């Protein structure tokens, strides 16, 4: 049928397990009666209502996902983590996509609705393709896993306004035990198939898990983070008169019971699994990439496809990385000369790394230094906020706060990160910083990271996407990594055009350091997972080519080892957005409007890169015709 063929053409770049027909349409297929504007409008109303209906159905699979959106549906439930539940969701998704293809004629849709159709199908195809690799990824590692996520979720996202909310909180504490054990079952099955996390990953899991269940009511001493959170939320209910002191005491007893009977045993099971399987961890002096796993080469190629939303090979990505490292080095040389440093670029890197007592380059490793970092990050974000209307027509409504990572999951030198707020703005976005070791947090990197994680980076893009009203709801929550991280890296570069940014040459060097960091990722990620590099080889390449500290370099490389392919998305996405801007500037000349370009990129939510290109091309043609 025409709609299948047309959809396949739009998504020909997607390599999926669904076996799409990528042949060009025949002349007979092209010669179809013209579709009227009235028909397109009617179809638009129908398909968007269908998308919203199906999106709501999909949300019901994830009570925790509903909470992230600020909703209190299924507020007393924790997601199911079994393979059977995952299969149920996939079956639903495949059936819904088949229904979409049968109900709607692709050629009778508007350009905007075709994009929604293509994104829905793309997401389904990628999910189907990923089924083959369900046991390849690590369930527990130092970066991810329920051991750190669950308490973070309960503390920061389960809001308690009523007695019912607190009862739901207690129910969730019990449910966490069940979910954790389901995750352990999958991890054990993966291990039985020859997939074992590195020793450093298990060490991180054990450390995080022990921190979560240290302190009252688990051990003697100060309250644990989760218990302190529950106590605080109950105390607030008592203070407002929502519950009596007697009821509050009863709630606290229920919290203690849930933590000791359900929550703690699950964490002990995680620790036991990690300690047991650590004996099977790969030799740290040998290759540790995804390609060493069963079916590992296909697994890594699948991850490159999903993370970059392209069909680029590992070799192509590796070569782009090498070329970008060389280009950025030349710009770094200019700044080295500007500040009057005599010596090689590698000598300059070493000076910056080793000058940890120089307050020009590092904050004091004290609580005052940590607060100064948060204050300064907030200040540079506030400066960007003032000038946003000069570069954007669409602006985010949600606020942003800068916070230190909670002690139970904080790691020296680990990457900063962002948690989105709610679509209605009731909870702000949070930019989290790891500040346990300030000697791993150079001042020159503060500004560029704030732009990446905050504004105009992640917070702005994700908040705008969540607040969109002109697209189906499912698109407001889409998270294509190459687009999301590509935009954040583009934002670091874009910030140069804002007043009062990167005024210190060392901060501008930090910007280049961040960009070369992402270029290096293309080299080391593909090196580790497709070329047999060891951890030490990857760490050394990082140190040879950037001013990064060894603590940062090792933390980053260990992150790439446990998250194959993810690190390649940043530079690939950034370069695509830059090329689209260059194309628009070249074709539109005086008609080019930076605000309209950015609104075009952000105004459709996160997109696969070739769909983004199609959207920008449509905008260019509209401007030309105006």
């Amino acid at each position: 049928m025409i709609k299948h063929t047309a959809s396949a053409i739009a998504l020909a770049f997607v390599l999926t397990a669904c076996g799409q027909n990528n042949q060009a349409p025949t002349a007979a297929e092209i010669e179809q009666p013209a579709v009227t504007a009235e028909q397109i409008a009617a179809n638009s109303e129908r398909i968007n209502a269908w998308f919203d209906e199906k999106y709501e159905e999909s949300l019901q699979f994830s009570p925790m996902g509903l909470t992230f959106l600020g909703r209190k549906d299924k507020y007393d439930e924790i997601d199911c983590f079994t393979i059977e539940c995952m299969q149920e969701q996939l079956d639903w998704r495949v059936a819904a996509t088949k229904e979409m293809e049968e109900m709607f004629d692709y050629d009778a849709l508007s350009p905007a609705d075709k994009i929604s159709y293509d994104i829905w199908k793309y997401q389904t195809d990628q999910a189907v393709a990923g089924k083959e690799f369900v046991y390849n990824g690590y369930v527990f590692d130092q970066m991810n896993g329920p051991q750190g996520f669950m308490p973070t979720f309960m503390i920061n996202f389960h809001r308690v306004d009523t007695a019912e909310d607190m009862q739901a909180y207690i129910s969730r504490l019990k449910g966490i035990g069940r979910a954790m054990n389901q995750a352990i079952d999958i991890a054990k099955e993966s291990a039985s198939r020859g997939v074992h996390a590195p020793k450093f990953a298990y060490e991180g899991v054990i450390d995080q898990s022990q921190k979560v269940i240290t302190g009252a009511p688990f051990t003697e001493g100060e309250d644990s983070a989760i218990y302190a959170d529950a106590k605080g939320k109950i105390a607030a209910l008592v203070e407002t008169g929502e519950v009596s002191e007697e009821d509050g005491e009863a709630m606290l007893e229920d919290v203690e019971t849930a933590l000791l009977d359900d929550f703690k045993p699950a964490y002990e099971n995680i620790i036991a699994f990690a300690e047991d399987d650590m004996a099977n961890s790969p030799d740290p002096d040998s290759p540790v990439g995804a390609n060493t796993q069963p079916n590992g080469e296909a697994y890594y190629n699948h991850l490159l496809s999903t993370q970059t939303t392209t069909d680029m090979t590992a070799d192509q990505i590796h070569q782009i990385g090498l070329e970008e490292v060389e280009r950025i080095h030349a710009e770094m040389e200019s700044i080295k000369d500007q500040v009057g440093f005599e010596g090689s670029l590698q000598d300059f890197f070493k000076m910056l790394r080793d000058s940890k007592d120089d307050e020009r380059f590092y904050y004091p490793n004290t609580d005052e230094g940590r607060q100064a970092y948060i204050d300064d990050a907030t200040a540079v974000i506030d400066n960007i906020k003032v000038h946003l209307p000069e570069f954007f027509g669409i602006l985010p409504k949600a606020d942003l706060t800068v916070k230190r990572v909670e002690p139970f999951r904080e790691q020296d030198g680990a990457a900063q990160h962002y948690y989105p707020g709610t679509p209605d703005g009731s909870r702000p976005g949070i930019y989290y910083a790891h500040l346990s070791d300030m000697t791993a947090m150079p001042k020159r990197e503060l500004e560029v990271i704030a732009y990446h994680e905050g504004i105009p980076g992640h917070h702005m893009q994700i908040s705008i996407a969540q607040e969109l009203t002109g697209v189906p709801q499912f698109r407001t929550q889409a998270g294509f990594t190459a687009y999301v991280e590509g935009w954040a890296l583009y934002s670091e570069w874009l910030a140069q055009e804002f007043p009062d940014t990167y005024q210190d040459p060392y901060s501008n060097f930090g910007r280049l350091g961040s960009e070369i960091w992402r270029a290096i990722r293309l080299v080391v990620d593909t090196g580790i997972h497709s070329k047999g590099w060891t951890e030490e080889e990857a760490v050394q390449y990082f140190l040879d080519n950037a001013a990064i500290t060894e603590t940062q370099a090792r933390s980053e490389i260990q992150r790439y080892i446990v998250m194959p392919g993810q690190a390649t998305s940043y530079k690939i996405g950034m370069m695509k957005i830059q090329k689209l801007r260059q194309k628009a500037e070249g074709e539109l000349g005086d008609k080019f409007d930076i605000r309209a370009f950015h609104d075009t990129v952000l105004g459709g939510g996160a997109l696969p890169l070739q769909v983004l290109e199609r959207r920008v091309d449509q905008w260019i043609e509209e401007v030309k015709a105006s």
Side-chain angles (χ1 to χ4, degrees):
M1 294 177 65
I2 301 170
K3 57 188 176 184
H4 291 285
T5 306
S7 180
I9 292 171
L11 295 176
F13 63 95
V14 181
L15 303 178
T16 73
C18 289
Q20 295 182 52
N21 175 11
N22 290 332
Q23 295 179 346
T26 65
E29 290 173 325
I30 293 173
E31 294 174 2
Q32 296 294 323
V35 182
T36 67
E38 290 77 10
Q39 288 174 313
I40 290 175
N43 287 336
S44 182
E45 184 175 348
R46 286 178 58 238
I47 197 169
N48 282 294
W50 184 90
F51 281 134
D52 286 347
E53 175 188 340
K54 294 303 175 183
Y55 176 62
E56 183 62 30
E57 289 179 18
S58 72
L59 290 177
Q60 300 309 309
F61 286 108
S62 177
M64 298 172 76
L66 288 165
T67 301
F68 273 115
L69 294 175
R71 292 172 53 172
K72 292 188 176 181
D73 315 39
K74 300 188 175 184
Y75 211 42
D76 59 347
E77 298 179 28
I78 292 291
D79 291 14
C80 175
F81 287 178
T82 66
I83 293 295
E84 291 75 18
C85 284
M86 296 178 195
Q87 184 62 51
E88 180 186 0
Q89 293 181 51
L90 181 59
D91 290 345
W92 173 88
R93 181 85 195 192
V94 170
T97 303
K98 182 179 179 182
E99 180 181 313
M100 178 186 73
E101 293 174 322
E102 292 173 348
M103 286 181 63
F104 302 103
D105 181 351
Y106 185 87
D107 288 342
L109 299 175
S110 69
D113 292 333
K114 286 178 179 177
I115 285 178
S116 297
Y117 183 110
D118 291 343
I119 292 172
W120 182 279
K121 183 163 173 55
Y122 176 87
Q123 290 176 323
T124 301
D125 291 344
Q126 291 289 15
V128 171
K131 180 184 175 181
E132 177 184 355
F133 309 108
V134 67
Y135 291 112
N136 281 92
Y138 304 131
V139 178
F140 299 100
D141 60 59
Q142 83 284 6
M143 294 296 302
N144 305 291
Q147 78 280 354
F149 171 73
M150 288 298 190
T152 300
F153 171 79
M154 294 301 295
I155 292 169
N156 293 307
F157 299 100
H158 187 106
R159 193 175 75 247
V160 172
D161 302 311
T162 66
E164 290 75 19
D165 293 345
M166 194 64 216
Q167 293 297 343
Y169 185 107
I170 295 166
S171 294
R172 277 184 156 169
L173 290 180
K174 298 175 183 177
I176 285 172
R178 180 264 306 158
M180 294 284 213
N181 288 322
Q182 290 173 341
I184 293 170
D185 288 342
I186 296 176
K188 287 180 177 179
E189 179 62 26
S190 294
S192 74
R193 295 169 181 244
V195 176
H196 308 284
K199 182 180 179 182
F200 65 76
Y202 282 139
E203 288 173 341
V205 170
I206 293 167
D207 178 63
Q208 292 168 26
S209 299
Q210 288 174 336
K211 286 178 179 176
V212 171
I213 56 173
T214 295
F218 310 109
T219 63
E220 294 183 359
E222 297 181 359
D223 291 343
S224 64
I226 188 70
Y227 189 51
D229 179 64
K231 265 188 173 180
K233 287 172 176 172
I234 292 171
L237 293 178
V238 173
E239 184 177 348
T240 60
E242 180 68 26
V243 301
S244 66
E245 287 191 18
E246 183 179 359
D247 287 343
E249 290 173 1
M251 285 179 173
L252 192 58
E253 289 180 7
D254 290 342
V255 167
E256 292 173 2
T257 299
L259 289 175
L260 293 173
D261 291 355
D262 300 287
F263 191 90
K264 181 183 180 182
Y267 272 88
E268 290 172 336
N269 291 341
I270 291 171
I271 293 169
F273 165 75
E275 289 176 339
D276 182 60
D277 200 49
M278 196 186 300
N280 302 312
S281 293
D283 180 352
D285 296 326
S286 301
V288 291
N291 62 339
T292 64
Q293 296 182 11
N295 203 23
E297 182 178 353
Y299 172 54
Y300 185 56
N301 289 337
H302 169 71
L303 291 176
L304 289 180
S305 172
T306 60
Q307 295 299 313
T308 68
T309 66
T310 73
D311 58 1
M312 296 174 67
T313 66
D315 285 344
Q316 289 172 324
I317 292 171
H318 192 84
Q319 184 59 36
I320 290 172
L322 292 173
E323 292 169 359
E324 282 294 287
V325 167
E326 183 178 0
R327 178 188 66 78
I328 298 167
H329 272 172
E331 293 189 41
M332 287 180 153
E333 289 277 4
S334 297
I335 294 180
K336 173 181 72 73
D337 295 341
Q338 178 187 349
V339 299
F341 183 84
E342 296 182 1
S344 68
L345 187 59
Q346 282 66 33
D347 292 336
F348 192 51
F349 292 161
K350 186 176 186 303
M351 182 275 292
L352 292 173
R353 278 197 293 262
D354 294 347
S355 301
K356 298 186 186 301
D357 295 328
D358 190 331
E359 292 195 3
R360 292 180 301 164
F361 303 134
Y362 291 88
Y363 290 88
N365 198 20
T366 63
D367 287 343
E368 290 76 14
R370 295 177 181 93
Q371 187 59 50
Y373 187 99
I374 292 174
D375 292 343
D376 289 349
T378 302
V380 298
I381 289 170
D382 287 344
N383 173 63
I384 290 285
K385 285 181 181 178
V386 172
H387 299 286
L388 283 179
E390 301 166 32
F391 295 86
F392 300 90
I394 304 173
L395 299 175
K397 299 181 180 70
D399 200 4
L400 172 69
T401 60
V402 184
K403 286 187 178 181
R404 181 181 178 182
V405 173
E406 301 90 347
F408 61 83
R409 65 186 185 94
E410 191 169 41
Q411 302 174 52
D412 294 352
Q416 324 292 50
H417 55 283
Y418 172 76
Y419 269 121
T422 51
D424 64 3
S426 60
R427 186 186 69 239
I430 303 172
Y431 157 30
Y432 278 109
H434 289 270
L435 303 178
S436 51
D437 179 11
M438 297 306 294
T439 65
M441 300 294 295
K443 282 185 177 180
R444 66 182 178 276
E445 296 175 3
L446 177 143
E447 199 172 347
V448 68
I449 295 173
Y451 302 148
H452 181 106
E453 302 295 343
I455 297 174
H458 283 322
H459 176 70
M460 182 157 179
Q461 179 266 308
I462 294 172
S463 296
I464 287 174
Q466 291 191 142
E467 295 162 8
L468 290 174
T469 57
V471 299
Q473 291 182 48
F474 85 92
R475 284 180 57 185
T476 69
Q477 299 299 317
F480 299 103
T481 311
Y483 174 99
V484 172
E485 296 296 353
W487 172 264
L489 189 54
Y490 169 82
S491 294
E492 299 177 12
W493 174 81
L494 171 66
Q496 298 175 92
E497 301 176 28
F498 282 67
D500 303 322
T501 60
Y502 301 126
Q503 292 183 303
D504 177 4
Y506 289 104
S507 286
N508 197 28
F509 192 87
R511 177 188 65 79
L512 290 173
S514 179
E515 186 177 0
I516 203 168
W517 194 324
R518 278 39 177 243
I520 288 169
R521 285 177 174 178
L522 301 183
V523 178
V524 297
D525 195 275
T526 51
I528 292 166
H529 296 294
S530 72
K531 297 182 180 298
W533 286 22
T534 65
E535 178 183 334
E536 290 305 320
E537 287 175 315
V539 168
Q540 192 58 53
Y541 183 86
F542 226 135
L543 293 174
D544 288 345
N545 289 283
I548 190 172
T549 67
E550 184 168 357
T551 300
Q552 287 176 306
R554 192 162 301 280
S555 176
E556 283 293 303
I557 294 302
Q558 291 180 349
R559 168 189 166 186
Y560 310 154
I561 290 171
V562 301
M563 298 173 65
Q566 193 270 349
T568 65
S569 60
Y570 298 68
K571 201 73 174 70
I572 299 301
M574 175 203 194
M575 293 174 70
K576 171 59 75 173
I577 295 171
Q578 287 177 318
K579 288 177 182 176
L580 291 176
R581 176 172 166 177
Q582 291 166 2
K583 179 180 182 180
E585 289 172 334
E587 293 195 21
L588 296 179
D590 292 341
K591 283 189 172 184
F592 178 80
D593 179 352
I594 189 64
R595 297 166 78 251
F597 171 76
H598 288 150
D599 289 355
T600 300
V601 173
L602 296 177
L607 302 169
L609 294 183
Q610 290 201 20
V611 178
L612 173 64
E613 182 171 10
R614 195 169 89 206
R615 178 176 165 85
V616 172
D617 286 346
Q618 289 171 353
W619 169 72
I620 291 173
E621 293 307 312
E622 289 170 3
V623 174
K624 285 181 178 178
S626 64

